[in-house]
Amino acid sequence: MSDRPETVDATRRTHLASERTYLAWWRTGLTSLTVGIGAGKVVPALTSGATWPYTIAGAGYALLGVVCIVYAAQRRREIEQALERGDFVRPDDRVIAAMTVFGALLGLLVLAIVLAQG
Protein backbone atom coordinates (compact mmCIF):
# COMPACT_ATOMS: atom_id res chain seq x y z
CA MET A 1 0.00 0.00 0.00
CA SER A 2 1.25 3.45 -0.84
CA ASP A 3 1.75 5.95 1.94
CA ARG A 4 0.30 8.77 -0.14
CA PRO A 5 -2.23 10.81 1.84
CA GLU A 6 -5.07 9.92 -0.57
CA THR A 7 -4.44 6.21 -0.15
CA VAL A 8 -4.22 6.39 3.62
CA ASP A 9 -7.40 8.48 3.74
CA ALA A 10 -9.27 6.08 1.42
CA THR A 11 -8.26 3.13 3.58
CA ARG A 12 -9.36 4.94 6.72
CA ARG A 13 -12.71 5.85 5.16
CA THR A 14 -13.26 2.27 4.02
CA HIS A 15 -12.61 0.92 7.51
CA LEU A 16 -14.93 3.53 9.03
CA ALA A 17 -17.65 2.65 6.51
CA SER A 18 -17.26 -1.00 7.49
CA GLU A 19 -17.66 -0.05 11.14
CA ARG A 20 -20.81 1.97 10.38
CA THR A 21 -22.27 -0.99 8.52
CA TYR A 22 -21.49 -3.26 11.47
CA LEU A 23 -23.24 -0.85 13.81
CA ALA A 24 -26.23 -0.63 11.45
CA TRP A 25 -26.62 -4.42 11.64
CA TRP A 26 -26.52 -4.09 15.44
CA ARG A 27 -29.15 -1.33 15.42
CA THR A 28 -31.38 -3.46 13.24
CA GLY A 29 -30.88 -6.44 15.55
CA LEU A 30 -31.64 -4.41 18.67
CA THR A 31 -34.73 -2.93 17.02
CA SER A 32 -35.96 -6.41 16.13
CA LEU A 33 -35.40 -7.55 19.70
CA THR A 34 -37.36 -4.56 20.96
CA VAL A 35 -40.21 -5.26 18.56
CA GLY A 36 -40.12 -8.86 19.79
CA ILE A 37 -40.64 -7.72 23.37
CA GLY A 38 -43.41 -5.36 22.34
CA ALA A 39 -45.23 -7.90 20.19
CA GLY A 40 -44.68 -10.86 22.47
CA LYS A 41 -45.21 -9.31 25.91
CA VAL A 42 -46.55 -5.76 25.86
CA VAL A 43 -49.31 -6.04 23.24
CA PRO A 44 -50.81 -9.26 24.67
CA ALA A 45 -50.99 -7.61 28.10
CA LEU A 46 -53.03 -4.79 26.60
CA THR A 47 -55.46 -6.89 24.58
CA SER A 48 -58.11 -9.45 25.28
CA GLY A 49 -58.39 -12.76 23.53
CA ALA A 50 -55.78 -15.15 22.28
CA THR A 51 -52.20 -14.18 23.02
CA TRP A 52 -50.40 -16.99 21.19
CA PRO A 53 -50.24 -15.15 17.82
CA TYR A 54 -48.44 -12.27 19.53
CA THR A 55 -46.07 -14.68 21.25
CA ILE A 56 -45.18 -16.28 17.91
CA ALA A 57 -44.67 -12.87 16.26
CA GLY A 58 -42.58 -11.66 19.21
CA ALA A 59 -40.40 -14.76 19.15
CA GLY A 60 -39.97 -14.39 15.40
CA TYR A 61 -38.81 -10.79 15.69
CA ALA A 62 -36.48 -11.73 18.53
CA LEU A 63 -34.99 -14.51 16.39
CA LEU A 64 -34.53 -12.09 13.51
CA GLY A 65 -32.72 -9.73 15.89
CA VAL A 66 -30.35 -12.46 17.03
CA VAL A 67 -29.62 -13.41 13.41
CA CYS A 68 -28.82 -9.78 12.56
CA ILE A 69 -26.40 -9.44 15.48
CA VAL A 70 -24.65 -12.75 14.76
CA TYR A 71 -24.42 -11.97 11.05
CA ALA A 72 -22.99 -8.53 11.90
CA ALA A 73 -20.01 -10.14 13.62
CA GLN A 74 -19.48 -12.66 10.83
CA ARG A 75 -19.78 -10.03 8.12
CA ARG A 76 -17.43 -7.63 9.90
CA ARG A 77 -14.79 -10.33 10.19
CA GLU A 78 -15.13 -11.18 6.48
CA ILE A 79 -14.88 -7.52 5.47
CA GLU A 80 -11.83 -6.86 7.63
CA GLN A 81 -10.04 -9.87 6.15
CA ALA A 82 -10.96 -8.75 2.62
CA LEU A 83 -9.72 -5.22 3.32
CA GLU A 84 -6.39 -6.58 4.54
CA ARG A 85 -6.08 -8.49 1.24
CA GLY A 86 -7.20 -5.45 -0.75
CA ASP A 87 -10.23 -7.43 -1.87
CA PHE A 88 -14.01 -7.18 -1.76
CA VAL A 89 -16.36 -9.78 -0.34
CA ARG A 90 -20.04 -9.87 -1.16
CA PRO A 91 -22.65 -10.59 1.50
CA ASP A 92 -23.86 -14.17 1.66
CA ASP A 93 -26.88 -14.28 -0.66
CA ARG A 94 -28.35 -17.20 1.29
CA VAL A 95 -28.36 -15.26 4.55
CA ILE A 96 -29.82 -12.16 2.91
CA ALA A 97 -32.49 -14.26 1.15
CA ALA A 98 -33.35 -16.14 4.34
CA MET A 99 -33.71 -12.91 6.34
CA THR A 100 -35.82 -11.40 3.56
CA VAL A 101 -38.17 -14.37 3.43
CA PHE A 102 -38.35 -14.57 7.22
CA GLY A 103 -39.03 -10.83 7.51
CA ALA A 104 -41.74 -11.02 4.86
CA LEU A 105 -43.36 -13.96 6.66
CA LEU A 106 -43.28 -12.03 9.93
CA GLY A 107 -44.90 -9.10 8.16
CA LEU A 108 -47.64 -11.38 6.81
CA LEU A 109 -48.14 -12.82 10.30
CA VAL A 110 -48.57 -9.34 11.75
CA LEU A 111 -50.98 -8.48 8.94
CA ALA A 112 -53.00 -11.62 9.70
CA ILE A 113 -53.07 -10.78 13.41
CA VAL A 114 -54.23 -7.23 12.72
CA LEU A 115 -56.95 -8.39 10.35
CA ALA A 116 -58.12 -11.18 12.66
CA GLN A 117 -58.18 -8.92 15.72
CA GLY A 118 -59.77 -5.96 13.91
Side-chain angles (χ1 to χ4, degrees):
M1 177 173 73
S2 172
D3 287 337
R4 294 184 354 199
E6 317 73 56
T7 304
V8 172
D9 191 49
T11 301
R12 182 185 61 81
R13 286 193 321 266
T14 303
H15 282 280
L16 290 172
S18 173
E19 184 176 346
R20 286 189 302 272
T21 302
Y22 171 72
L23 294 173
W25 277 105
W26 260 92
R27 285 189 302 273
T28 303
L30 291 174
T31 301
S32 293
L33 291 171
T34 303
V35 170
I37 291 169
K41 292 295 182 184
V42 176
V43 174
L46 301 174
T47 62
S48 60
T51 59
W52 66 266
Y54 298 104
T55 302
I56 291 172
Y61 279 105
L63 179 60
L64 184 60
V66 170
V67 169
C68 285
I69 291 169
V70 169
Y71 187 64
Q74 176 188 342
R75 180 78 180 136
R76 183 171 190 270
R77 186 173 39 255
E78 290 173 352
I79 290 171
E80 289 299 318
Q81 291 170 352
L83 287 172
E84 287 175 13
R85 295 188 310 267
D87 200 5
F88 174 76
V89 61
R90 293 193 175 283
D92 188 334
D93 288 338
R94 295 169 300 179
V95 174
I96 300 300
M99 286 194 301
T100 301
V101 169
F102 192 65
L105 290 173
L106 279 173
L108 290 173
L109 174 61
V110 169
L111 177 63
I113 293 169
V114 168
L115 293 175
Q117 300 289 325

